[in-house]
Amino acid sequence: MRRTGLLLAVAPLALVIACSTGTGTGTANHDTATLGAPAHYSNWPNFHNTASKSGVANGPVTLPLHTAWHRKLDGAVWSEPVIGDGVLIAATERNSVYGLNPQTGKILWHQKLALAEPGSSQPCGDIDPIGITGSPAFDPATGSVFVVDTSPSGHHTVWSLSAKTGKRNWHRNGDVDRHRDMNAEQQRAALVIIDHRVIVTYGAHAGDCGNYVGLAVSIPTNGRGPTPHYAVPNARGAGMWGPAGPVEAYDGNVLTPTANGSNRTGGTWDHSDGVIELDPTTMHYVRGWAPTNWEQGDADDLSLGSTSPVRVAGDYVVGGKRGEVWLLAPDLGGVGGQLDTLGGDNYCNAFGGIAARGDTAIIPCKNFSKPHSLLAVTVSNGKLHQKWDTSGLYGAPVIAGQRVFVADLDSGSLKVLSLQSGHVIASIPVGPLATFPSEVVDGNHVFVPTLSGITALRGS
């Protein structure tokens, strides 16, 4: 699971963004928000909005965009925020969770959950310090937001907080596999709520060090009862680390990609370098898929763990490190059972969250041997077709109306593209971004997590 490129991308701003800061657990010191008419905010409960991680906004955003506010927080925000009960909720790498007024950026509440783990005590990695990295999930049924913190010695704790007030509801130990080194297991993948359960997955730190294995844990949203889990049947490796994390399948089960494994099984697929489906209540394995050359993908660290499958036209589209794009049927198809394949080596080295609507998927390509890009593909009659490819930018896209919004790692700006053609039609600076940037698009606003906090852009 080696990563390529810069660990932290720092891009100069073309203009100065007004900053405001907050302290303590309640209110901000001052506000610099540019206010328009009151906006209506929908729930944005998961990374990329839906449990299927579709990356489709609840409504369009009117151009041009203007900087509304920037809220400096106590650490870098690597995860995508969520919106629940009218509150924008962001988590930092210093194990803080903030509830913000999405209209103004004012801090409504702040919970400091634990000390973060310093980089010097990690066996390897690309985040320092490491606290909350996996994107939170909000549960409308209970009004709770769920996060997983990382504290010294690599200990992981799953927390339930009130989205409105930040009140601590409950917490559970997230380290359920006693046979592994907690310090080697990283919780980078976004959480998801499926069937009244919080699904949490684990992989490795950047560098693939230590005794880790791909692990999925299921915890009831009320915090009570057993926590079944699934560990990839692999001696080591096959992490579930992709930023988009597990997704809800068409049949209500859990889909998760798996990365490269370390053991060789003589041709018997060991559930590494593929997509597996799990029952959310029991975490029992249901079915899976892998390319026929999965063992070579394991050996070359060119696995599927870097993205998550998305629903497109009744099937699934998924990419991975090796550069190909695959189309899978709802039953996944087993080893070599894909419906279609597009491209080849280094066609699109996909990392982060894919967005999909109708017959179209937009894939972020953090390419190894050519410029980063966004790739649009369409699905028809069980076949994949390239729609457009826009080079020179990278980030997890969100589709809103007839436009695509993407926080671009290379420039530190929010790019707006035409959904039809891929042409860039607007760009506005937001600040330096983490390695796998994403954004929330809701209420005629775009909320972008940065290495210093949250930048909000407002439509006209």
Side-chain angles (χ1 to χ4, degrees), residues 53-115:
K53 311 291 177 73
S54 66
V56 177
N58 300 311
V61 175
T62 55
L63 299 184
L65 290 169
H66 306 277
T67 302
W69 50 264
H70 176 76
R71 174 61 61 188
K72 185 176 181 180
L73 304 178
D74 71 355
V77 183
W78 278 59
S79 58
E80 183 177 295
V82 295
I83 298 176
D85 287 342
V87 179
L88 178 70
I89 300 161
T92 77
E93 292 296 344
R94 294 191 179 275
N95 281 332
S96 279
V97 186
Y98 291 86
L100 306 176
N101 181 321
Q103 184 82 354
T104 67
K106 179 180 179 180
I107 297 176
L108 303 175
W109 55 262
H110 170 205
Q111 277 283 5
K112 175 74 171 180
L113 298 177
L115 292 176

Side-chain angles (χ1 to χ4, degrees), residues 156-173:
H156 302 96
T157 302
V158 183
W159 292 88
S160 169
L161 309 174
S162 165
K164 282 188 175 181
T165 67
K167 178 181 178 291
R168 302 182 184 193
N169 298 323
W170 55 261
H171 64 277
R172 297 284 295 266
N173 179 14

